[in-house]
Amino acid sequence: MRATTVSTKLRQIAEQAKQYLERVFTTLAYLIDVEFLKEAFRKTRKGGATGIDKVTAAEYEANLEENLQDLLQRMRSGLYKAPPVLRKWLKKEDGSQRPIGVPTFEDKIAQRAVAMLLEAVYEEDFYDFSYGFRPRRKPHDALHELRVQSMGMKIAWILDADLSGFFDSIDHARLLEVLRKRVNDGEIVRLIGKWLQAGVLEGDFLSYSDTGTPQGGVISPMLANIFLHTVLDEWFDQVVRPRMRGRCFMVRFADDFVIGFEREDDANRVMAVVPKRFAKYGLRIHPDKTKLIPFQKPSSRQDKPEEPESFTFLGLTHFWAKSRRGYWVIKRKTASKRLKRTIKALWVWCRNNRHVPIQEQYRILCSKLRGHYQYYGIRGNMRSMQKLLHCAQRMWKYWLSRRSHKGYMNWDKFMKFQQYLPLPTPRIVHSI
């Protein structure tokens, strides 16, 4: 009954947003009640890291009704204070580190409730070529659309763009200004403002900034989509596309996007103006990673392209190649940086866990490989996945041989061992 009641509220908001595209919603926060927060709790991931208060999901759930009643009262009275997020760091492919903000579990519930309201409104506004952090939309949907549009429109140029530190560069004032154009509920805007200004705790140092929304926050992906909807999506659909002499398309997944062009002059015009468009909103296009790539279909008389070009999007390298029937098609393979990073991570894991019981090693290794196949298992990418499997077998054998000084496990012995504990073989999961 609870989910039905909440879903009814959200559906009514969505219907109003769809019917009145110019409407500004000024009364949304009143819809958040205890039942709404319970649904937000249900949708909140329970196994994540704890915030600065160290309260786990299980501990919070022990007195769920009382905790949600107290949270609701503070949210409605204005006494709610957003606690600082806990700063953690993740390594990126280029060796640099990416900051991650971890909110408290209660903060995640409050953010989830507001995100549910915003989603009901903005899902009616967002364009079909936007795929990131949206319900019923996956990265593979974006990959499929990219391939279909590139081949169907006879695309010859690809603008492969990269935003520098997008989540850390969003200007709070500009973001709230964009938000108020569609959602101008004072309570909702104040809550979002509190989350943006909550600060970041790293060690014993608490810092504040007028820019950035922490990656890891529940509300952050929704705010990023709202901001880029105005900065990029509306601009492309209403300003760029009507001025093009040839056909063009865009596919965006969060802050990663590519634009395809049929004509070179159109591509050059947009390439020149894109940095100015983002600079207007306080964002910066990476000058080295943003490129205009010739991506024309090779002539049918060519066995190989004269200057083979490729680009990477969502972890996959896209390139022209001949199909089994002899036709030129766009194929995808695991990006070399991603593959090297995965192989390195497996090597480190096998080394650090070589003394763990073999059955447990086997279970975790299988899980890691299946997770890789689940994402990269697309048609045409079998060779890259087989390479990963072969590397995983060699690394596991190498570190199993170093569990003790009693003897070296040669390849024949390892293959017999694999008959009883075989690592999962690659398979095509997505026929796109």
Side-chain angles (χ1 to χ4, degrees), residues 175-271:
L175 172 59
L176 294 178
E177 180 184 349
V178 168
L179 179 68
R180 289 190 185 100
K181 292 180 180 178
R182 189 63 157 146
V183 176
N184 198 19
D185 182 307
E187 188 173 333
I188 295 294
V189 174
R190 279 194 298 273
L191 282 170
I192 293 174
K194 288 180 179 181
W195 289 320
L196 293 175
Q197 298 291 341
V200 176
L201 182 66
E202 186 171 3
D204 296 326
F205 181 69
L206 180 61
S207 61
Y208 298 90
S209 176
D210 293 329
T211 60
T213 174
Q215 297 185 61
V218 175
I219 196 72
S220 295
M222 174 56 67
L223 296 179
N225 268 340
I226 291 172
F227 198 52
L228 284 176
H229 173 71
T230 295
V231 176
L232 179 61
D233 299 355
E234 285 186 340
W235 174 71
F236 174 78
D237 186 71
Q238 300 175 14
V239 178
V240 173
R241 187 148 50 188
R243 287 174 168 80
M244 297 293 97
R245 299 177 64 186
R247 291 177 291 181
C248 66
F249 75 92
M250 183 173 76
V251 174
R252 179 173 72 82
F253 193 93
D255 59 327
D256 293 331
F257 68 94
V258 294
I259 306 177
F261 303 91
E262 187 178 14
R263 295 173 59 97
E264 182 179 2
D265 55 344
D266 288 340
N268 287 325
R269 287 165 58 199
V270 175
M271 180 68 176

Side-chain angles (χ1 to χ4, degrees), residues 199-354:
V200 176
L201 182 66
E202 186 171 3
D204 296 326
F205 181 69
L206 180 61
S207 61
Y208 298 90
S209 176
D210 293 329
T211 60
T213 174
Q215 297 185 61
V218 175
I219 196 72
S220 295
M222 174 56 67
L223 296 179
N225 268 340
I226 291 172
F227 198 52
L228 284 176
H229 173 71
T230 295
V231 176
L232 179 61
D233 299 355
E234 285 186 340
W235 174 71
F236 174 78
D237 186 71
Q238 300 175 14
V239 178
V240 173
R241 187 148 50 188
R243 287 174 168 80
M244 297 293 97
R245 299 177 64 186
R247 291 177 291 181
C248 66
F249 75 92
M250 183 173 76
V251 174
R252 179 173 72 82
F253 193 93
D255 59 327
D256 293 331
F257 68 94
V258 294
I259 306 177
F261 303 91
E262 187 178 14
R263 295 173 59 97
E264 182 179 2
D265 55 344
D266 288 340
N268 287 325
R269 287 165 58 199
V270 175
M271 180 68 176
V273 77
V274 159
K276 300 175 184 177
R277 174 65 182 180
F278 281 96
K280 180 181 177 181
Y281 289 87
L283 301 175
R284 179 174 174 267
I285 289 287
H286 198 293
D288 299 324
K289 295 182 181 180
T290 301
K291 300 177 181 179
L292 194 58
I293 301 167
F295 199 67
Q296 190 169 11
K297 175 182 176 182
S299 168
S300 59
R301 290 172 293 181
Q302 290 179 270
D303 291 330
K304 293 183 178 180
E306 295 178 359
E307 296 182 3
E309 294 286 351
S310 64
F311 65 95
T312 299
F313 182 62
L314 297 182
L316 290 159
T317 298
H318 304 249
F319 60 98
W320 283 99
K322 280 195 172 182
S323 67
R324 291 181 178 180
R325 296 183 178 182
Y327 300 109
W328 284 107
V329 296
I330 295 176
K331 292 188 176 183
R332 285 74 53 90
K333 63 180 180 180
T334 308
S336 58
K337 288 184 178 179
R338 291 288 182 95
L339 186 59
K340 289 177 182 177
R341 183 179 68 181
T342 302
I343 292 172
K344 182 179 179 180
L346 284 177
W347 171 270
V348 172
W349 187 91
C350 289
R351 180 191 66 194
N352 294 342
N353 293 273
R354 62 185 182 275

Side-chain angles (χ1 to χ4, degrees), residues 362-381:
Y362 174 72
R363 184 187 66 81
I364 297 177
L365 266 178
C366 289
S367 177
K368 289 179 178 293
L369 289 173
R370 290 193 187 100
H372 184 89
Y373 302 155
Q374 186 65 33
Y375 184 85
Y376 292 100
I378 67 172
R379 190 170 54 192
N381 194 34

Side-chain angles (χ1 to χ4, degrees), residues 376-427:
Y376 292 100
I378 67 172
R379 190 170 54 192
N381 194 34
M382 184 60 73
R383 184 176 296 178
S384 294
M385 292 191 294
Q386 288 174 336
K387 180 178 179 180
L388 176 65
L389 173 62
H390 182 64
C391 289
Q393 290 172 331
R394 293 181 67 88
M395 290 185 291
W396 196 27
K397 165 189 168 295
Y398 179 87
W399 287 111
L400 285 179
S401 299
R402 280 148 181 79
R403 284 165 62 93
S404 69
H405 62 280
K406 292 183 179 180
Y408 179 75
M409 180 182 288
N410 60 34
W411 191 252
D412 290 337
K413 184 178 179 181
F414 178 74
M415 293 310 294
K416 292 179 180 179
F417 166 78
Q418 280 275 276
Q419 293 178 3
Y420 301 97
L421 295 175
L423 293 177
T425 56
R427 64 189 185 93

Side-chain angles (χ1 to χ4, degrees), residues 111-124:
Q111 290 187 28
R112 175 66 65 192
V114 173
M116 288 161 59
L117 291 174
L118 296 179
E119 181 181 286
V121 174
Y122 280 98
E123 271 302 307
E124 305 303 325

